[in-house]
Amino acid sequence: MTTPDQQLRAALDALDAWLAVRGLADLRLGLYHELSAGPELLAWLLAQEEGRIGAAQLFEVERIAYS
C-alpha cells in the first residue's frame, strides 16, 4: 500500500512528464483515447492547495489552462 506522500510524489512525477512533452492539455484516456482528460485534470490541478504543486509546475499549468 502506498502512503499519501508516495501518491503525491507519483502525481508530481506524472505532471512533470506531461509538462515536458506538452501533453497535459491533450491528455486522453480510454482504450481508443476517446476521453479527453485535460480539462478536468487542469481544473483539479488548479484547485490544489498552495504549495502542493511547485511554482514552476503551477506556472506551466496556469499557462496551459488560461491560454
Side-chain angles (χ1 to χ4, degrees):
M1 192 162 125
T2 60
T3 67
D5 287 338
Q6 290 171 323
Q7 293 171 349
L8 177 59
R9 183 72 255 154
L12 293 177
D13 288 346
L15 179 57
D16 279 339
W18 293 326
L19 291 173
V21 297
R22 304 210 182 273
L24 184 60
D26 296 323
L27 184 64
R28 302 187 76 69
L29 301 174
L31 182 61
Y32 301 104
H33 301 278
E34 71 275 14
L35 303 171
S36 176
E40 288 183 25
L41 184 57
L42 286 170
W44 179 79
L45 288 167
L46 291 171
Q48 295 304 299
E49 63 189 44
E50 187 175 334
R52 190 151 189 174
I53 298 173
Q57 291 174 322
L58 183 58
F59 176 81
E60 284 299 310
V61 169
E62 289 175 338
R63 185 186 61 74
I64 293 167
Y66 301 124
S67 61

